[in-house]
């Protein structure tokens, strides 16, 4: 994409430059309300207003999907390293199959937003969250249930 003569869609000025947004940009993508870009992705950026413009829809989609896959795999690594859970145990805790978890860990499948978000939340404090997600966990003992 030749951006030399293109105008910014936000401010209308011809002040676009190509920048790599790796680790510096997040945006809405598909069902994900916010995806942080963790891979190389070149976008046009307006030097006047800071607006980012996608220069290649296919490269943008590929970068967003790869970022999500990378993050999901990292979340799984964090959870497993802090809890010493086996794959099938972690899968049971979060309510997915072991083969699906394996696909997420190997980055061959893109998780749904719900699964990605659950992995992210569990990765923040895996030990405590796995206690709460354990089907044998006694929620009444912890007084979590709402009383009428």
């Amino acid at each position: 994409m030749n951006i030399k003569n293109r105008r910014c869609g936000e401010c209308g000025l011809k002040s676009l430059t190509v920048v790599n947004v790796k680790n510096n940009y997040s945006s809405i993508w598909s069902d994900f309300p916010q995806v942080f870009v963790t891979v190389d992705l070149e976008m046009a950026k307006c030097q006047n207003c800071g607006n980012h413009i996608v220069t290649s829809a296919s490269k943008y989609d590929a970068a967003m999907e790869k970022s999500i896959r990378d993050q999901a795999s990292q979340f799984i690594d964090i959870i497993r390293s802090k809890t010493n859970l086996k794959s099938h145990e972690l899968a049971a805790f979060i309510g997915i199959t072991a083969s699906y978890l394996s696909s997420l860990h190997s980055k061959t499948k893109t998780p749904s937003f719900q699964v990605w978000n659950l992995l992210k939340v569990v990765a923040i404090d895996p030990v405590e969250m796995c206690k709460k997600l354990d089907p044998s966990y006694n929620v009444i003992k912890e007084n979590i249930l709402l009383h009428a």
Side-chain angles (χ1 to χ4, degrees):
M1 171 184 180
N2 183 358
I3 63 165
K4 184 179 175 184
N5 294 318
R6 298 275 316 256
R7 292 184 184 274
C8 172
E10 195 72 27
C11 68
L13 296 178
K14 291 183 180 180
S15 60
L16 299 178
T17 58
V18 175
V19 295
N20 188 328
V21 297
K22 179 181 180 179
N23 297 328
N24 249 342
Y25 179 77
S26 61
S27 179
I28 296 168
W29 183 78
S30 186
D31 292 338
F32 295 79
Q34 203 71 339
V35 178
F36 184 71
V37 178
T38 59
V39 297
D40 287 322
L41 174 63
E42 289 189 344
M43 295 180 74
K45 181 178 181 182
C46 178
Q47 296 306 304
N48 182 54
C49 69
N51 186 35
H52 285 86
I53 301 160
V54 174
T55 55
S56 168
S58 61
K59 287 181 182 177
Y60 177 80
D61 287 342
M64 297 302 247
E65 188 166 6
K66 181 153 180 18
S67 293
I68 291 166
R69 288 180 181 202
D70 287 347
Q71 291 169 38
S73 182
Q74 289 172 4
F75 296 152
I76 292 166
D77 286 339
I78 291 167
I79 296 164
R80 291 194 57 212
S81 71
K82 290 184 177 180
T83 62
N84 295 319
L85 290 173
K86 294 182 171 96
S87 291
H88 69 279
E89 293 171 325
L90 176 56
F93 276 127
I94 61 174
I96 60 176
T97 65
S99 63
Y100 182 54
L101 183 74
S102 176
S103 297
L104 296 178
H105 189 246
S106 64
K107 305 176 192 177
T108 57
K109 286 192 178 175
T110 304
S112 67
F113 173 69
Q114 291 80 8
V115 171
W116 181 87
N117 204 38
L118 182 57
L119 287 169
K120 179 175 78 169
V121 168
V122 173
I124 292 169
D125 190 356
V127 175
E128 204 50 40
M129 286 303 295
C130 284
K131 269 198 262 177
K132 304 274 191 274
L133 292 172
D134 184 351
S136 65
Y137 184 74
N138 187 346
V139 293
I140 297 170
K141 177 182 158 197
E142 292 294 326
N143 200 21
I144 293 173
L145 295 178
L146 298 176
H147 300 284

